[in-house]
Amino acid sequence: MARLVSLVERSRRISGLPGVLISRSAGNWNKDWKPGPYPVTPEEKAAAARKYGLRPDEYKPTPDDGIGAGDYPDLPLVSAESRDPYYPWDHPEHRRDFMEPIHTDYDMYGLDRYNASQKLRFSVNQMFMAFMGVMTFFVGTFFLMESRKIHWPLLPKQYPGDGKVHYTFEKPE
Amino acid sequence: MIWKISMHEISMLTLVSGSVLCGIAGIKKVSTGVMDVIEWELFNLVSSSIVFTVILDWVSLLFMSFVFLISGSVLFYSGSYMAEDKTSNRFMYLVLAFVLSMSLMVLSPNLISILLGWDGLGLVSYALVIYYSNEKSANAGMLTILSNRVGDVAILLSIGLMSSLGSWNFFFYSYYLNEEWVLLKVFLMISAMTKSAQIPFSAWLPAAMAAPTPVSALVHSSTLVTAGVYLMIRFSAALEGSLVQSWLLIISCLTMFMAGLGANFEYDLKKIIALSTLSQLGVMLSILSLGYADLAFFHLLSHALFKALLFMCAGVVIHSVGGYQDIRFMGNLVKFMPLTVSYMTISNLALCGFPFMAGFYSKDMILEVAFMSSINFIALMLYIMATGLTVMYTMRLIFYSISGEYNLGSINNLSDEDYMMTNSMSGLGLGAILGGACLGWMLFPECYMICLSFIMKMMVIMVSVLGGLIGYTLNMMSVNFTLKSLSNYSLIVFMGSMWFMPALSTLKLSEKSLSSGSYVEKVLDKGWFEFYGGQGLNYMFSNLFYMLNSMHLNSVKIFLKVAVITMIVFMVAVL
C-alpha cells in the first residue's frame, strides 16, 4: 500500500511534463456525439441532413448493417491525398474545411494513411498479372534451366585430324 | 585561447580515429587469421550462465573501420548540411545511435545480440527517415519500419528455431545446418531480403529517400542495407548446396535487373542513386548465393565507399540548386562546381567498374568468377543485362546533371565554396580511387584464377561501352523530337515503377489491413469491450452507487427495515 501511494506521488510529479501521460480517462466521448437512430421517414432524413450540415438531396444514411452508425451520412470515400492540394482549405493539413462532415473511417484516409480514391493508370489486377507474369517467367525459366547449367570449356576444342589421336573412347574398366 | 569544437567535429575526429584503429587491427587479423573473442558473464544461475560475447575477427573489424570512416565523414558533412536545422544536435545523436546499433550487430557472434543491433538499426533508421516532420517523411518512415519489422519477426523465428541447437552462435553451428534446417535458412533469407530490400520488399528503399541526404549517405547506401548481406555472409556456410541458395540467387538477380531498369526511367536524383544501391545489393547477394561470400564482402566494402561519396555529392548539388532533386532541372554543373563534380564522376566511374577504380576490382572479379562458374543461363543473362543497365543509368545521370545543357534559372548559387562538405568527401574520394586496389591486395593475396574465353572476357567491356553510349545519347532530346516512348507508355510505366511492386505491396495489403482493423475496432474496441468494459462498467457502477447513495440518504428508514427483518429472521431461526 505504501509503495502504491509513493508511486502515485512520483507519477503526479512527472505528470505535468510534456508528452507524459500517466493515466487517461475513458470519458473523452459524450452522448451528444452519438448518432441518432436510423432515419426512416423523409422528415427524419431532412432533420438528419440539417444536423450534419448537408443538403437533403445529398444526404444518404449509412446502411443499417448492425455496426451502429445510426443516422450518420454515408459520405463518398475521398481520401485526403486525392483532394485538391491547391484549394485554400480551412485545415490544409487534413485538406478539410471547417465543420465539413467526415467519413466514418476518416482516420484511415488521411494524408499519412491509405489513398482509397486514387485513380490508378492500371487496375490492381492488371498490375498483379504483369508483375506475376514477369516473375513467373524468370523464376520458372530459372528452375527449368537449373538442370541444364552452363559448363564453360576451359581448354580449346579438340578436333579430329589426320594421324591425330586424342583418345580412343574405350569403355572404362 | 579557447577553441570551440562543435559536435560534428568531435564526432568526426572520434569516429575517424576509431576507424583507423579498427582498420589497423583488421589488417593484422587478415594477415594472421586470428580471431579474438571477448566474453562478459552477465549473470550465473546455477549451471546456466548468460554471457555477452564480442567477436573481433577481420570481417567485423574491417566492416567497423568502414562504418566509422563513413559515419565520421557524414557527421562532419552534416555539420554544414544540417546547419540551418534547429534540431541538428538531435540528428547527430540519432546518427551516433545508429552507429552504436551497427557496431552491436557487426561485433556479435550469435543471433541474440545480432537481434539487438538489428532491431536498433530498424528503430533508429525510422527516427532518421521521419526527421523532416512532413507527411511524405511520415509515410516513408512507416514503410521503412514495417518492411524492416517483417525481417525482425523472421529473425525472432529463426532464434526460436535455433534454440533447439543449444546455442545461437553461428561460428559453431552454421557448418552443421543440413537440409533439416531449411526453415531456419528460409527465415534468415527473409530477414536478409527485408533489410537489403530485395524483391518483394524493395518498396521501402526508394521511399526512404525522404530522409535527409546525410542519412541516405550513411544509412541507405552503405550500412543499414548491407546488414542483410552481412547476415548472409556470416551464415554462408549454412546456405551451401541448399534450395534456399537457388532462391536467393534468382531473387537477387531479378532485384539487380529490376532496379537497374527502374533507374533508367527515374528523374529524382536521390531515387536514381537509391535504385543503384538496390542493384548493387542484388550483385552482392547473387555472388554470395553462388558461394563466394568473400567477394560479396569485398564488394560490400568498396561499394560503401563510392556510394556514400555519391550521395554526399548529390547532397551538395541539391543544396546548391535550391532544394530541387529533379535532374531535368540541373545541367552543366561541371562549369560551376568542378570539385563536387569531380568527386561525383569518380564515384560514378567506380560504380560502372571503370578500370582501376574501387568498383572495378570488386565488380569485375565478381562478374568474371560468376561467368566462370557453372551458372544458370537466366542468372548469366541477368548479370550481363544489369551490368549494361548500370553503366546506362550512370551515363544518363552524368548527362543530365553534369555535362548536359544548363536547365537552371539565370540566378543561381552553384558553387563549391562550402569547405565542410567538400573536405568531408575527400577521404571517401581517395577511398573510391584506391580502396578497391588496397582491399583487393589485402583480402586476396592469392588471386582467383580466371579462365574465360575471349568472348566472355570481352562481354563486360562490350556491354559497358554499349550501355554507356545508349545511356548518354538516348537522353539527348530536343523539343522537335518525337518521343517513341509515348507510344509504348504502358511498358515504360511498368519498367520505371519497379514492375508495379511498390504499388502492389502497399495498395491492397494496407487497405485490407486497415479495413479489418477498423472493423475490429468498431465491433470490439468500441462495441463489446466498451459494453463489458469501460462504459458498461461505468454505467453499472453508476447505477449501483446511485442505488446505494439513495439508500444511504434514506438511511433511517432502511436501518429500521433491516433491523425489523433481521429480528424476524433471528426469531424464526431461534424458534
Side-chain angles (χ1 to χ4, degrees), chain B residues 22-35 56-59 61-62 438-446:
Chain B
C22 287
I24 293 169
I27 292 167
K28 225 175 149 185
K29 295 274 185 284
V30 168
S31 53
T32 56
V34 168
M35 180 167 69
L56 299 171
D57 66 340
W58 67 273
V59 172
L61 283 167
L62 278 180
C438 297
L439 273 172
W441 296 328
M442 196 169 54
L443 298 180
F444 304 102
E446 291 149 12

Side-chain angles (χ1 to χ4, degrees), chain B residues 51-53 108-115 167-171:
Chain B
V51 172
F52 182 75
T53 316
S108 302
N110 60 62
L111 267 182
I112 302 279
S113 42
I114 278 183
L115 177 72
S167 162
W168 294 276
N169 198 318
F170 48 78
F171 277 101

Side-chain angles (χ1 to χ4, degrees), chain B residues 235-279:
Chain B
F235 278 91
S236 55
L239 293 176
E240 275 174 31
S242 67
L243 189 62
V244 171
Q245 206 177 18
S246 305
W247 274 101
L248 189 61
L249 176 62
I250 184 61
I251 286 170
S252 53
C253 285
L254 281 173
T255 308
M256 184 170 65
F257 176 61
M258 175 202 71
L261 201 57
N264 279 291
F265 297 97
E266 189 57 62
Y267 286 102
D268 186 322
L269 176 60
K270 285 178 71 177
K271 281 218 170 75
I272 294 173
I273 305 174
L275 289 168
S276 162
T277 305
L278 188 54
S279 183

Side-chain angles (χ1 to χ4, degrees), chain B residues 70-303:
Chain B
I70 293 169
S71 50
S73 305
V74 162
L75 278 169
F76 191 63
Y77 175 92
S78 309
S80 172
Y81 194 89
M82 309 294 288
E84 289 167 11
D85 199 79
K86 286 176 197 159
T87 54
S88 57
N89 272 354
R90 176 164 68 95
F91 178 80
M92 304 276 183
Y93 286 129
L94 283 171
V95 172
L96 289 170
F98 178 85
V99 174
L100 182 69
S101 302
M102 193 73 199
S103 314
L104 192 57
M105 197 209 73
V106 169
L107 298 171
S108 302
N110 60 62
L111 267 182
I112 302 279
S113 42
I114 278 183
L115 177 72
L116 291 174
W118 191 274
D119 274 357
L121 286 175
L123 185 66
V124 179
S125 70
Y126 170 67
L128 286 167
V129 170
I130 63 167
Y131 184 79
Y132 293 141
S133 309
N134 52 45
E135 282 98 22
K136 191 164 165 253
S137 298
N139 294 340
M142 194 55 67
L143 193 49
T144 304
I145 197 162
L146 290 177
S147 305
N148 279 303
R149 208 71 198 120
V150 173
D152 296 348
V153 167
I155 277 211
L156 280 165
L157 289 169
S158 54
I159 285 173
L161 284 171
M162 215 170 158
S163 61
S164 55
L165 281 169
S167 162
W168 294 276
N169 198 318
F170 48 78
F171 277 101
F172 302 144
Y173 289 105
S174 56
Y175 290 95
Y176 304 105
L177 296 172
N178 52 21
E179 275 309 306
E180 290 173 6
W181 295 92
V182 66
L183 200 57
L184 172 67
K185 295 174 197 179
V186 165
F187 285 138
L188 288 169
M189 186 182 81
I190 290 172
S191 50
M193 278 163 60
T194 54
K195 210 61 145 189
S196 297
Q198 303 297 292
I199 289 173
F201 307 108
S202 311
W204 72 268
L205 189 54
M209 294 301 114
T213 309
V215 172
S216 305
L218 174 62
V219 173
H220 301 129
S221 65
S222 31
T223 42
L224 173 75
V225 291
T226 53
V229 183
Y230 178 78
L231 184 73
M232 287 287 97
I233 288 171
R234 289 303 201 185
F235 278 91
S236 55
L239 293 176
E240 275 174 31
S242 67
L243 189 62
V244 171
Q245 206 177 18
S246 305
W247 274 101
L248 189 61
L249 176 62
I250 184 61
I251 286 170
S252 53
C253 285
L254 281 173
T255 308
M256 184 170 65
F257 176 61
M258 175 202 71
L261 201 57
N264 279 291
F265 297 97
E266 189 57 62
Y267 286 102
D268 186 322
L269 176 60
K270 285 178 71 177
K271 281 218 170 75
I272 294 173
I273 305 174
L275 289 168
S276 162
T277 305
L278 188 54
S279 183
Q280 296 304 307
L281 289 168
V283 171
M284 289 176 221
L285 281 172
S286 58
I287 195 62
L288 189 146
S289 58
L290 285 173
Y292 302 97
D294 46 358
L295 286 178
F297 186 64
F298 181 23
H299 194 53
L300 191 158
L301 295 178
S302 66
H303 170 263

Side-chain angles (χ1 to χ4, degrees), chain A residues 79-90:
Chain A
S79 291
E81 210 176 311
S82 300
R83 293 181 164 212
D84 187 358
Y86 300 110
Y87 179 83
W89 301 99
D90 292 331

Side-chain angles (χ1 to χ4, degrees), chain A residues 4 9 34 39 43 45-46 55 66 68 70 76 82 85 91 108 110 116 119 125 133 137-138 142-143 165:
Chain A
L4 193 62
E9 211 40 54
K34 186 179 168 183
E43 290 80 23
K45 283 186 181 168
R55 290 197 311 271
S82 300
H91 304 290
M108 210 165 104
K119 290 190 181 71
N125 285 339
F137 168 73
F138 277 112
F142 175 85
F143 281 104
V165 177

Side-chain angles (χ1 to χ4, degrees), chain B residues 484-536:
Chain B
K484 294 281 185 203
S485 62
L486 287 178
S487 49
N488 298 307
Y489 202 60
S490 305
L491 187 62
I492 300 295
V493 167
F494 175 69
M495 291 193 292
S497 62
M498 292 166 67
W499 299 350
F500 300 136
M501 190 193 40
L504 285 171
S505 59
T506 49
L507 275 173
K508 278 298 173 194
L509 206 64
S510 43
E511 185 197 2
K512 293 293 175 204
S513 312
L514 285 169
S515 301
S516 55
S518 167
Y519 183 76
V520 166
E521 191 211 14
K522 280 183 193 138
V523 171
L524 290 179
D525 278 342
K526 290 179 181 170
W528 293 110
F529 291 166
E530 285 293 342
F531 186 75
Y532 287 112
Q535 295 295 325

